[in-house]
Amino acid sequence: MAMSKDELFTRLKEVLVSDFDIEESAVTLDANIVTDLDLDSIDAVEMIVKMKPYLNAKIEPDAFKSVRTLGDVVNVLEPLTK
């Protein structure tokens, strides 16, 4: 089930709004996970776990070491949807 980056971002936005009570207008590709969305590392892991149903490959924790924004998250997850 390959997804485009736009489709993946839409799913990510749905997770953040419904499960983390983040204002939809705050969820942008440029939003910094920590400073803009106020998510800590536990929240970030939970966010990624909630995205697992959309992925066809195992998530490598090292891939997320350089992730800072939601755009970074989409860029890391998108290849895993193929």
Side-chain angles (χ1 to χ4, degrees):
M1 164 176 94
M3 296 176 77
S4 71
K5 288 184 179 185
D6 287 341
E7 291 169 320
L8 200 53
F9 178 67
T10 298
R11 298 285 180 266
L12 185 59
K13 181 185 278 192
E14 290 168 357
V15 165
L16 290 168
V17 171
S18 66
D19 296 353
F20 293 91
D21 295 323
I22 294 176
E23 192 66 41
E24 188 171 349
S25 61
V27 182
T28 67
L29 288 171
D30 294 331
N32 184 289
I33 296 166
V34 176
T35 58
D36 296 331
L37 304 180
D38 200 29
L39 298 180
D40 61 23
S41 59
I42 307 270
D43 292 331
V45 168
E46 187 177 339
M47 172 184 68
I48 300 306
V49 167
K50 290 186 179 289
M51 293 302 291
K52 271 188 171 183
Y54 308 109
L55 307 178
N56 292 322
K58 187 173 186 278
I59 300 170
E60 296 298 330
D62 285 352
F64 287 93
K65 286 187 175 176
S66 63
V67 166
R68 300 288 176 259
T69 68
L70 292 180
D72 294 339
V73 173
V74 169
N75 288 335
V76 169
L77 293 181
E78 190 263 340
L80 303 178
T81 68
K82 296 183 174 18

